[in-house]
Amino acid sequence: EEEKTQNKKSGVSIRTLNYAPGPLETEMTRQIRNAETLDADLKTNFQNRLLDADDSALKLIQLLDRNQFETGDHIDYYDLPDVNSTKR
C-alpha cells in the first residue's frame, strides 16, 4: 500500500506481474537429459514433455495484451488459455 502511495505522489505508474513460464525446453535441459553422469532419479524428471519457450512467451504476450491482471498478480502458464485460443 505504501508503494502505491509513493507511486501516486511521484506520478509514476508501475504495475508488476509474476509470470511463471512453466517447465521450458532449453539447451540446458537437453544437455541434462543427455548427460551420462546424471543421477537416474533426476533423469526421469527430464524425460517428461517440457514446454516450448515460444509458446510460453506467446501466452505472456497475450496476457499483457489483454491487460486483465492486477498489479502483483502471480499467473502461471497453466492458468492461461491455449495460445491458439482467439477469444479476447
Side-chain angles (χ1 to χ4, degrees):
E1 188 63 38
E2 183 178 332
E3 184 177 316
K4 289 180 183 178
T5 303
Q6 288 176 349
N7 287 339
K8 286 180 183 177
K9 288 180 183 178
S10 67
V12 176
S13 177
I14 298 173
R15 292 174 61 203
T16 60
L17 173 65
N18 180 345
Y19 175 67
L24 302 177
E25 180 70 41
T26 64
E27 182 59 34
M28 181 180 73
T29 58
R30 285 187 286 277
Q31 287 177 0
I32 291 170
R33 188 178 297 113
N34 296 324
E36 293 177 17
T37 59
L38 184 64
D39 182 86
D41 291 334
L42 290 176
K43 199 163 194 162
T44 59
N45 293 328
F46 290 94
Q47 300 307 324
N48 298 331
R49 183 179 181 279
L50 301 177
L51 303 171
D52 182 80
D54 289 342
D55 289 343
S56 183
L58 283 173
K59 278 194 174 189
L60 175 59
I61 290 168
Q62 287 177 346
L63 172 64
L64 295 173
D65 186 48
R66 290 181 182 144
N67 199 25
Q68 294 177 338
F69 64 91
E70 297 295 321
T71 190
D73 277 355
H74 170 84
I75 300 178
D76 191 276
Y77 171 90
Y78 293 107
D79 295 334
L80 298 172
D82 288 338
V83 172
N84 296 331
S85 175
T86 57
K87 291 182 181 178
R88 282 195 151 202

